[in-house]
Amino acid sequence: MPTRAPYPFAEIEPHWQKRWAETACFRAAQPGESGSEKPKRYILDMFPYPSGSGLHVGHLEGYTATDIVARYWRMRGHNVLHPMGWDAFGLPAEQHAVQTGTHPRVTTKRNVDNFRRQIQAMGFSYDWSREIDTTDPKYFRWTQWIFLKLYEKGLAYVADAPVWYCPALGTVLANEEVLTTPEGPRSERGNHPVERRPMRQWMLRITAYAERLLRDLDLLEWPDSLKEMQRNWIGKSEGAEVDFAVAGSSQKITVYTTRPDTLFGATYVVLAPEHPLVSALVSSDRRDSVEKYRRDSAAKSDLERTELAKAKTGTPLGAFAINPVNGEKIPVWVADYVLASYGTGAVMAVPAHDERDFEFAQTFHLPVRRVIRPLSGKDEPGCYTDDGVNVDSGFLDGLKTPEAKARVIEELEKMKQGRRQVRYKLRDWLFSRQRYWGEPFPIVWRNGQPNPLQAKDLPLTLPELSDYQPSPTGEPPLGKADGWKNLPDGSVRELNTMPQWAGSCWYYLRFCDPGNQEAPWSQAAEKYWMQGGGVDLYVGGAEHAVLHLLYARFWHKVLFDCGLVSHPEPFRRLVNQGIILGEDNRKMSKSVGNVVNPDEVIAEHGADALRVFEMFMGPLEQMKPWSSKGMEGSVRFLARVWRLLCEETESGEWIPSSNLTDDAPSAETVKTLAKTTAKVESDIEGLQFNTAISALMVLVNHLTALPKRPRVALLHLARILAPFAPHLAEEIHQRLGGQGLVSTTAWPTYRREDLQDKVIELPVQVNSKLRGKILLPPNSTREQIESLVSAHPDFSAWTGGKKVQKVIIVPGRIVNLICP
């Protein structure tokens, strides 16, 4: 026989979910509609990719947090936009299509329906009238329209790029999607072999916005660690370009360095294997070994070549470069620790003052020349990379590093052999994918040139295919749709599709005005919902800390420059929720078998208990393990709330408690309600949900201990419990005769004076050692405190009869008597 539920959540929760849906009580008012005169709050989750495995309890942590905040501000009289949608293009549905023949659209719809069911079972207060799906032509029409804006501004272009191509997946992968394994580079998804290939790709010129992406981080209320990750990814550095003439040739090698002050210490030059000058400069006797080295390097990822490289590799070209400041001939090498994608793809190697150059010089017995002495004057063994004073550096001798940098750049510019430079590690965004299930590019090719479609021809939808497998040559699956690909005028459609990032770059703007058929959003809707600096609270996983946020910020700035949005940044405040681990303290994973399915938890304990537990586990941003015992604690707490107003008959029926009263609450209960409400308010606004729940537990203990429980006190409890356990709060509100829905009731008020105790306890120290305590009114003046202390019967014992020289009072905290 199944265990009886501690309170009837299985009846309560579906009932209130149905009521909320019927009354559309979470619908946000558009500007001009009734309700839009209220202050707005835009509370947003990073919308999910609807995978086949459904949601697990880790996903729900962030959604629960934003729902508490959204419900709270709604009750505080705000017009709250709290939407949900689906980032539904992507590789998993396409792989499923390749394996089973099921159209990705069918798989995606099934997954979306399951995600929606699971989310609705949690009682989240989303405005479902705004639901969007990135695979809906009514949505991606505008993704394509924004791409055309990028193209018009010269920010979308075609380039041949060396890319990671995965034959098994039939697509190009970003560097972040490639794993380094003992077997060689592999795809993160499916662990398939990948290879380097030059391919025609669409690129977005995000580098044009590097400085603004860096600078505008100062406008944002984001965690410092997250801002730092963005800064590191953008990777701004200030230095110089230096031209090295090639001995016996008209060619020159241009290097970029952040330490031009070390130029006198350069003992060789290194080119990346992909550098175009390698073929031109290699001597005939070195050609075979250099070509073999280039082939070997092409099979490695950037990570393998840099951070993961256990030993430095390289080979000489047989050419020499001339150092512009001292005329010295130094050898030119090719080595894969230099990347073509960073700087100029060439470095001047100063092994005495750069760790990577030092390791390389040690490996190949190249000279190490010290030209910087530490400020301390002490010679440091090995490689010295800090600032100091120049030595053995000609005209730079005796200059400190900042002055030496400025002086050498000045000289190089005079000699026309160098120039001051600001560089960024950020690279342009590779924006093509050789797959079917993505947004088609609104581009046709004529005579080898790309031509944009007109806005009136959008959306350009995907053709129906029966075979989603890419061709072995790497031609995308769209190449099989001859009738779609080839146009009557002889032009050919672009066959690549956009990456999954495209739809998530602007979805927060579509939520402002999702029904608009004439524009992606109206100016009025964008100005209203994005006023005050954009989305008021954006919550999601730390795995999106760099790419999604950087890409969305880039698109938003382009839209700002087009006059289409009113603020240069999309997300004013951002919080990353921590990961919920399995009960075994490992990351939840189907293969490990430690995934906790919310469907099972809701069936056993109810959605309210799951919501309360996820928020009670610890601070939102922290990583924490799941605990079945902890889950039971949340159930017991809600069962105690229920028993404040209901008791169970012998037949198992719930009836009103005989302890309820219509009497006014006592002064002590009024104070407890006021203090709890103030604490819950401040904790919700500070996203400290675990301590807010602790305060609610203290209040429930107080109410449970009362011989008679005032209905008005329980109605107050229902309102401050509503953001956390909304179904139970609605039931209590209704059973006690509350008007309407608790979800749309005003947040309870309290008197400020009820937050203050009638007396407080103040410790008394003598010469900073605790001697006793006094009781006094909280608003006592300094004179009153001194008077109470000196009149205390233990005053002489505290001071040992000594004279008090000074009295230090920290109001509300402590009194310290100084006695010599």
Side-chain angles (χ1 to χ4, degrees):
M1 187 175 168
T3 310
R4 184 166 169 71
Y7 76 100
F9 58 81
E11 292 86 56
I12 291 171
E13 291 179 355
H15 169 76
W16 290 109
Q17 288 164 16
K18 188 162 175 279
R19 276 288 301 280
W20 295 330
E22 287 166 354
T23 56
C25 58
F26 305 129
R27 187 183 171 279
Q30 283 296 81
E33 294 180 351
S34 171
S36 64
E37 71 286 350
K38 300 174 181 176
K40 72 90 191 184
R41 287 272 164 173
Y42 188 172
I43 313 292
L44 182 64
D45 297 293
M46 291 185 186
F47 68 164
Y49 172 74
S51 66
S53 50
L55 287 166
H56 64 62
V57 293
H59 294 111
L60 299 177
E61 182 186 16
Y63 302 164
T64 304
T66 54
D67 193 59
I68 289 168
V69 175
R71 285 176 173 276
Y72 167 74
W73 285 114
R74 220 178 266 117
M75 294 176 78
R76 290 292 302 269
H78 287 240
N79 183 25
V80 175
L81 172 53
H82 188 41
M84 178 47 76
W86 319 106
D87 188 13
F89 275 127
L91 202 47
E94 183 158 345
Q95 282 186 283
H96 187 71
V98 168
Q99 290 156 7
T100 65
T102 310
H103 195 290
R105 192 182 301 113
V106 174
T107 309
T108 300
K109 183 183 183 308
R110 183 174 62 237
N111 294 349
V112 163
D113 289 344
N114 185 44
F115 264 62
R116 190 189 302 106
R117 175 194 64 75
Q118 288 186 295
I119 283 173
Q120 288 178 339
M122 288 292 289
F124 296 137
S125 61
Y126 292 124
D127 177 354
W128 286 103
S129 71
R130 294 175 187 258
E131 181 181 3
I132 59 177
D133 178 338
T134 56
T135 67
D136 182 346
K138 291 197 287 290
Y139 180 88
F140 71 68
R141 165 193 181 183
W142 301 112
T143 308
Q144 293 169 335
W145 182 85
I146 295 170
F147 174 82
L148 292 179
K149 294 289 175 199
L150 289 154
Y151 185 81
E152 285 165 23
K153 288 182 72 68
L155 295 168
Y157 65 95
V158 173
D160 277 329
V163 294
W164 286 113
Y165 182 76
C166 178
L169 298 176
T171 193
V172 168
L173 301 176
N175 285 333
E176 298 73 33
E177 298 170 305
V178 175
L179 300 175
T180 301
T181 73
E183 295 79 40
R186 297 284 178 133
S187 64
E188 184 181 37
R189 180 170 292 282
N191 198 38
H192 303 296
V194 297
E195 59 194 48
R196 279 290 206 192
R197 275 192 195 179
M199 293 186 88
R200 191 187 76 194
Q201 301 289 333
W202 279 96
M203 312 287 290
L204 296 187
R205 212 180 298 277
I206 191 172
T207 50
Y209 283 75
E211 186 58 35
R212 284 167 63 187
L213 288 165
L214 204 54
R215 186 188 67 214
D216 289 354
L217 286 168
D218 293 340
L219 303 175
L220 305 175
E221 296 172 38
W222 291 14
D224 288 339
S225 59
L226 201 145
K227 287 187 184 182
E228 197 54 31
M229 286 168 80
Q230 293 243 323
R231 284 191 194 101
N232 291 340
W233 192 265
I234 296 164
K236 181 178 181 178
S237 63
E238 297 184 21
E241 275 189 349
V242 184
D243 298 330
F244 285 74
V246 177
S249 159
S250 60
Q251 301 275 16
K252 67 176 181 184
I253 298 169
T254 300
V255 306
Y256 171 71
T257 176
T258 57
R259 291 295 303 268
D261 55 305
T262 64
L263 189 47
F264 282 89
T267 58
Y268 60 100
V269 168
V270 184
L271 301 183
E274 304 84 359
H275 197 291
L277 282 179
V278 170
S279 299
L281 299 184
V282 64
S283 60
S284 54
D285 61 319
R286 302 291 312 154
R287 190 170 299 282
D288 289 348
S289 58
V290 166
E291 286 307 316
K292 179 182 184 307
Y293 184 78
R294 292 176 88 176
R295 285 194 301 275
D296 292 345
S297 296
K300 298 181 191 174
S301 70
D302 287 357
L303 265 179
E304 282 179 294
R305 286 169 57 167
T306 52
E307 280 89 337
L308 301 177
K310 293 197 168 54
K312 292 284 180 284
T313 63
T315 189
L317 276 181
F320 290 83
I322 297 168
N323 188 326
V325 291
N326 59 12
E328 183 182 1
K329 277 173 65 174
I330 55 178
V332 182
W333 284 66
V334 59
D336 60 13
Y337 77 89
V338 177
L339 302 177
S341 58
Y342 184 63
T344 62
V347 301
M348 61 175 218
V350 185
H353 305 295
D354 180 279
E355 295 283 3
R356 294 182 314 157
D357 297 343
F358 183 73
E359 286 174 32
F360 190 88
Q362 296 285 93
T363 303
F364 293 102
H365 310 292
L366 293 163
V368 177
R369 184 181 302 144
R370 299 179 72 82
V371 292
I372 307 289
R373 192 184 67 231
L375 289 169
S376 65
K378 275 176 57 184
D379 257 345
E380 305 266 346
C383 179
Y384 179 73
T385 58
D386 291 340
D387 287 3
V389 177
N390 274 67
V391 294
D392 296 330
S393 299
F395 59 85
L396 299 180
D397 278 353
L399 294 180
K400 290 183 178 172
T401 297
E403 292 88 0
K405 284 182 179 180
R407 177 71 195 284
V408 76
I409 292 171
E410 195 182 301
E411 289 296 321
L412 288 166
E413 287 179 337
K414 270 191 211 161
M415 294 157 52
K416 297 198 168 13
Q417 289 190 282
R419 61 220 62 87
R420 188 177 306 280
Q421 274 266 305
V422 173
R423 290 263 176 168
Y424 300 91
K425 200 164 67 178
L426 181 67
R427 300 273 66 90
D428 280 344
W429 176 9
L430 195 153
F431 197 67
S432 308
R433 295 293 183 268
Q434 290 68 46
R435 57 176 74 144
Y436 171 76
W437 194 232
E439 299 90 344
F441 280 91
I443 294 286
V444 296
W445 288 84
R446 289 189 201 98
N447 304 318
Q449 293 300 312
N451 292 269
L453 296 184
Q454 294 182 35
K456 68 178 178 59
D457 297 325
L458 302 179
L460 172 62
T461 56
L462 290 162
E464 296 298 313
L465 286 184
S466 54
D467 175 14
Y468 308 99
Q469 193 80 39
S471 70
T473 62
E475 185 182 62
L478 290 178
K480 298 173 184 176
D482 290 331
W484 180 87
K485 172 176 73 169
N486 299 310
L487 300 180
D489 65 358
S491 55
V492 178
R493 293 198 192 279
E494 171 64 57
L495 301 180
N496 288 310
T497 53
M498 298 186 202
Q500 191 176 353
W501 305 109
S504 62
C505 272
W506 71 281
Y507 73 107
Y508 58 92
L509 289 165
R510 188 60 176 172
F511 276 140
C512 295
D513 199 10
N516 195 327
Q517 298 302 309
E518 307 305 315
W521 56 83
S522 73
Q523 202 173 23
E526 187 278 332
K527 272 192 172 157
Y528 178 81
W529 288 115
M530 299 294 282
Q531 64 182 296
V535 172
D536 297 290
L537 178 64
Y538 193 31
V539 175
E543 67 273 18
H544 300 298
V546 175
L547 296 182
H548 158 61
L549 292 171
L550 200 63
Y551 294 158
R553 292 180 63 221
F554 163 49
W555 276 36
H556 194 87
K557 288 182 185 305
V558 176
L559 296 169
F560 180 75
D561 290 350
C562 294
L564 295 166
V565 295
S566 53
H567 190 270
E569 284 288 334
F571 313 117
R572 177 174 64 82
R573 186 183 181 198
L574 181 136
V575 173
N576 289 137
Q577 85 257 19
I579 294 170
I580 294 183
L581 303 171
E583 213 148 354
D584 55 3
N585 260 307
R586 290 193 287 175
K587 192 170 178 182
M588 285 194 191
S589 155
K590 276 202 300 189
S591 60
V592 175
N594 63 351
V595 171
V596 178
N597 184 334
D599 292 349
E600 294 166 11
V601 178
I602 291 170
E604 188 176 353
H605 300 300
D608 280 342
L610 177 53
R611 291 170 62 114
V612 167
F613 174 60
E614 291 224 356
M615 294 299 97
F616 192 55
M617 288 169 79
L620 179 63
E621 296 94 332
Q622 270 186 15
M623 187 182 289
K624 47 236 170 217
W626 181 263
S627 160
S628 302
K629 282 203 169 126
M631 184 71 228
E632 288 160 14
S634 294
V635 177
R636 282 195 299 274
F637 164 61
L638 294 181
R640 294 183 75 216
V641 172
W642 176 249
R643 287 174 184 276
L644 289 173
L645 72 152
C646 288
E647 53 193 41
E648 199 172 10
T649 64
E650 286 185 10
S651 62
E653 189 185 351
W654 293 103
I655 60 170
S657 169
S658 54
N659 290 338
L660 293 176
T661 177
D662 291 322
D663 294 348
S666 67
E668 187 191 359
T669 297
V670 168
K671 276 184 174 296
T672 307
L673 287 166
K675 286 180 174 178
T676 307
T677 306
K679 173 72 174 154
V680 170
E681 276 175 16
S682 123
D683 283 350
I684 290 178
E685 290 178 30
L687 308 185
Q688 304 296 316
F689 306 112
N690 55 326
T691 53
I693 292 167
S694 294
L696 288 166
M697 289 174 169
V698 170
L699 172 61
V700 169
N701 288 344
H702 170 85
L703 295 171
T704 302
L706 297 177
K708 290 288 179 185
R709 294 173 205 129
R711 290 173 188 271
V712 67
L714 300 188
L715 277 166
H716 188 120
L717 168 65
R719 282 187 282 167
I720 59 175
L721 180 69
F724 302 89
H727 310 89
L728 180 55
E730 291 283 12
E731 189 72 17
I732 295 169
H733 183 76
Q734 185 198 52
R735 285 180 178 243
L736 294 175
Q739 296 297 302
L741 292 165
V742 78
S743 297
T744 52
T745 303
W747 186 257
T749 56
Y750 49 86
R751 299 182 311 161
R752 288 281 149 198
E753 53 265 39
D754 288 329
L755 298 179
Q756 293 192 325
D757 293 313
K758 283 185 179 165
V759 292
I760 60 168
E761 196 174 64
L762 206 61
V764 178
Q765 293 181 337
V766 176
N767 296 333
S768 302
K769 290 186 177 172
L770 185 64
R771 289 287 182 254
K773 293 174 183 174
I774 56 168
L775 296 173
L776 70 167
N779 51 358
S780 299
T781 64
R782 183 184 179 84
E783 291 72 25
Q784 288 169 330
I785 294 172
E786 284 195 35
S787 172
L788 279 167
V789 170
S790 58
H792 196 281
D794 293 335
F795 179 75
S796 295
W798 290 342
T799 61
K802 291 178 183 172
K803 188 179 176 187
V804 176
Q805 191 178 65
K806 187 179 178 186
V807 180
I808 299 168
I809 296 171
V810 182
R813 298 280 303 279
I814 207 155
V815 180
N816 190 10
L817 309 175
I818 306 300
C819 301

